[in-house]
Amino acid sequence: MNETSRVYLDNAASTPVDPAVIEAMMPFMVDHFGNPSSLHGSGRKASVAISKARSQVAKLINANPNEIYFTSGGTESNNLALVGYAKMVKRHRPDCNKILISEIEHESILETVSFLEKDLKFNINFIRTTSDGFIDLNSFGNLLSPETCLVSVMLVNNEIGTIQPVQSMINIIKKRQYKTIFHSDGVQALGKIPIDVRQMKLDMLSISSHKINGPKGIGALYIRKGISVEPILYGGGQEMSMRSGTENVYSIVGFGKACEIWKNRLQEANLNIKKLQDYTINRIINEIPESKINGSLQNRVVNNVNFSFKGINGEDLLVKLDEFGIEVSTGSACSSNKKKKESHVLRSLGLPHDEIAGSIRLSLGYQNTKTEMDFAINVLKNVINEFRNLNWSESSQGSDIVTSVP
Ligand SMILES: Cc1ncc(COP(=O)(O)O)c(C=O)c1O
């Protein structure tokens, strides 16, 4: 590692675009720029490219291509799934007004259900979380009732990487023979765990391109055939009338290519990332005193490492690591611009305030190496040592809070 190199460990926030994805996208910016709704040759080329990408995306999750609707990303997919389904329920099943979500969902679910509660008068219930970061199935079973029209629980949590017992939840709904629809935010699961929407009997699944080495601003919602969802964007009727607006052709092509790549490398790549994850977790536990891993080590995706360090402020740590070229995150990237907002995920696990404030997330990617991890862990160790020494000397002068970077 030299002084100018950067170690990017924020792959749960976004990933570098794969060179093969860029190569696939380029012709649709330079040559085949036609509008896919146009009937001439350029338009038809763009339209054919979208169909190919739809099949590539469908393949990665074992869906039918006509069950894939392209959107602008995970946030829009979550909005379309929840608002689109809720609008349909209001019109056709007004007796079902209960929606269940977990306490550890992404903001794009939390803010959407808040809208549904305030403006469409739905009754929102939150499923409790266990201290190791999973949905409490007893809490779910107690909350689920015939009035529940929709359950939305993420497949993988973005902050602590825990893989949620979505399959068990779907089985409970089926066993009770309720007409409840199950949506899952699969943004952090795509490319990390095998997803088979058919086998799982998922009704809707949100996915996003930029978490799997594809371009930003593009994603998709899987809607199982037979499930009625109303659009939330109106216009020219693109995306089978589900999402109007001229398609983002080159990004759709890039997303398709990224899905094809990850379909082929999921198993092998994730074995390598898992080795790096184990190595990192073991070194931190063994070499940094008073460090605590957040979330279970079992049923955790291979790229997530989330630790709390006693006496340390996570934001100060992030800034200092950045000075050394190491890029990490505290909580989720999307909420990190809301200054001083405490992680609702770690709070839901019951962590005390100081452990929440002292947490950072390292999220590994396909491109990371052992050399990079060694560099990052060594710097992390030294910085934490320095902070603790400073904290110690400050507290001996009457202060117990780290407020400045040494
Ligand atoms: C779990 C989860 N859901 C949704 C999103 C939003 O996805 P996008 O950035 O594509 O809007 C994210 C992004 O961080 C996420 O981690």
Side-chain angles (χ1 to χ4, degrees):
M1 306 295 314
N2 62 45
E3 275 187 10
T4 55
S5 52
R6 300 193 75 74
V7 179
Y8 183 77
L9 297 175
D10 201 13
N11 291 276
S14 201
T15 52
V17 181
D18 195 291
V21 168
I22 297 172
E23 198 184 323
M25 291 171 72
M26 282 304 278
F28 293 90
M29 294 185 212
V30 181
D31 297 321
H32 317 310
F33 49 79
N35 187 319
S37 297
S38 299
L39 296 178
H40 49 60
S42 296
R44 287 201 308 275
K45 258 207 169 86
S47 171
V48 166
I50 291 175
S51 297
K52 181 178 170 192
R54 207 182 298 284
S55 296
Q56 289 166 316
V57 173
K59 240 185 191 161
L60 185 55
I61 60 170
N62 195 27
N64 206 306
N66 60 20
E67 295 171 314
I68 301 294
Y69 300 87
F70 288 113
T71 65
S72 66
T75 300
E76 188 187 322
S77 296
N78 284 342
N79 273 263
L80 175 58
L82 270 53
V83 179
Y85 191 69
K87 281 167 71 178
M88 197 286 298
V89 168
K90 274 278 163 219
R91 207 188 296 274
H92 300 289
R93 291 176 61 200
D95 50 316
C96 293
N97 77 332
K98 203 167 141 185
I99 295 176
L100 301 188
I101 68 160
S102 81
E103 291 174 337
I104 57 171
E105 294 300 311
H106 185 261
E107 279 75 7
S108 54
I109 294 287
L110 296 173
E111 295 296 323
T112 304
V113 295
S114 165
F115 161 76
L116 294 178
E117 183 175 43
K118 283 194 205 106
D119 286 41
L120 297 187
K121 307 297 172 215
F122 277 89
N123 190 351
I124 312 297
N125 289 265
F126 291 84
I127 310 159
R128 276 206 311 271
T129 321
T130 62
S131 59
D132 50 359
F134 298 108
I135 298 313
D136 182 335
L137 285 174
N138 286 330
S139 166
F140 172 64
N142 291 336
L143 288 170
L144 185 69
S145 73
E147 292 76 40
T148 312
C149 60
L150 177 68
V151 178
S152 180
V153 171
M154 61 200 342
L155 260 180
V156 168
N157 180 263
N158 46 309
E159 292 191 35
I160 51 175
T162 43
I163 304 169
Q164 299 304 322
V166 163
Q167 188 66 77
S168 305
M169 301 172 92
I170 294 174
N171 292 345
I172 291 171
I173 295 171
K174 302 282 175 217
K175 208 166 157 194
R176 293 201 195 168
Q177 300 185 332
Y178 292 165
K179 286 187 182 156
T180 309
I181 292 303
F182 200 102
H183 164 258
S184 189
D185 175 345
V187 168
Q188 294 290 342
L190 193 71
K192 312 295 179 307
I193 55 172
I195 302 176
D196 184 329
V197 289
R198 241 164 255 306
Q199 196 186 18
M200 293 180 78
K201 297 192 164 58
L202 267 173
D203 295 310
M204 294 193 273
L205 179 78
S206 300
I207 50 179
S208 178
S209 153
H210 71 110
K211 313 285 185 180
I212 60 159
N213 309 102
K216 292 173 185 56
I218 187 76
L221 178 65
Y222 156 78
I223 307 177
R224 185 168 64 76
K225 192 165 182 284
I227 302 289
S228 296
V229 173
E230 294 198 2
I232 56 173
L233 284 181
Y234 300 92
Q238 288 90 344
E239 289 302 289
M240 302 165 265
S241 293
M242 189 61 76
R243 203 268 186 182
S244 286
T246 301
E247 297 89 336
N248 181 354
V249 181
Y250 38 81
S251 298
I252 289 174
V253 168
F255 184 23
K257 186 70 188 174
C259 286
E260 182 189 273
I261 291 171
W262 273 97
K263 173 89 188 151
N264 294 329
R265 77 175 174 207
L266 192 136
Q267 243 179 342
E268 198 190 327
N270 286 337
L271 277 178
N272 291 335
I273 299 172
K274 171 95 177 89
K275 279 186 201 149
L276 281 187
Q277 182 194 42
D278 288 344
Y279 179 75
T280 306
I281 290 175
N282 286 333
R283 271 202 68 189
I284 292 177
I285 288 175
N286 291 327
E287 297 177 35
I288 305 182
E290 303 204 76
S291 51
K292 178 174 159 278
I293 183 116
N294 294 317
S296 171
L297 281 175
Q298 270 78 51
N299 289 329
R300 186 188 190 104
V301 279
V302 296
N303 68 331
N304 178 289
V305 175
N306 187 318
F307 268 96
S308 288
F309 301 103
K310 196 179 168 87
I312 298 293
N313 180 294
E315 281 181 19
D316 291 343
L317 187 55
L318 180 150
V319 170
K320 193 68 186 166
L321 290 175
D322 192 41
E323 284 175 22
F324 285 93
I326 299 161
E327 297 178 323
V328 303
S329 166
T330 56
S332 77
C334 305
S335 65
S336 59
N337 56 359
K338 290 181 191 164
K339 264 245 135 318
K340 297 289 169 206
K341 186 172 166 273
E342 192 171 86
S343 159
H344 67 284
V345 174
L346 299 181
R347 202 180 335 120
S348 166
L349 267 56
L351 260 63
H353 172 73
D354 60 326
E355 286 185 18
I356 299 175
S359 72
I360 58 163
R361 177 188 74 181
L362 318 182
S363 48
L364 318 185
Y366 177 69
Q367 74 287 355
N368 291 126
T369 62
K370 184 161 172 290
T371 310
E372 286 183 326
M373 296 320 298
D374 275 325
F375 175 71
I377 298 163
N378 291 341
V379 172
L380 185 67
K381 250 169 76 172
N382 291 338
V383 169
I384 287 177
N385 246 336
E386 274 181 48
F387 271 131
R388 282 182 174 156
N389 287 338
L390 179 78
N391 192 18
W392 179 84
S393 56
E394 276 189 356
S395 58
S396 65
Q397 290 162 30
S399 162
D400 61 354
I401 305 165
V402 176
T403 52
S404 62
V405 180

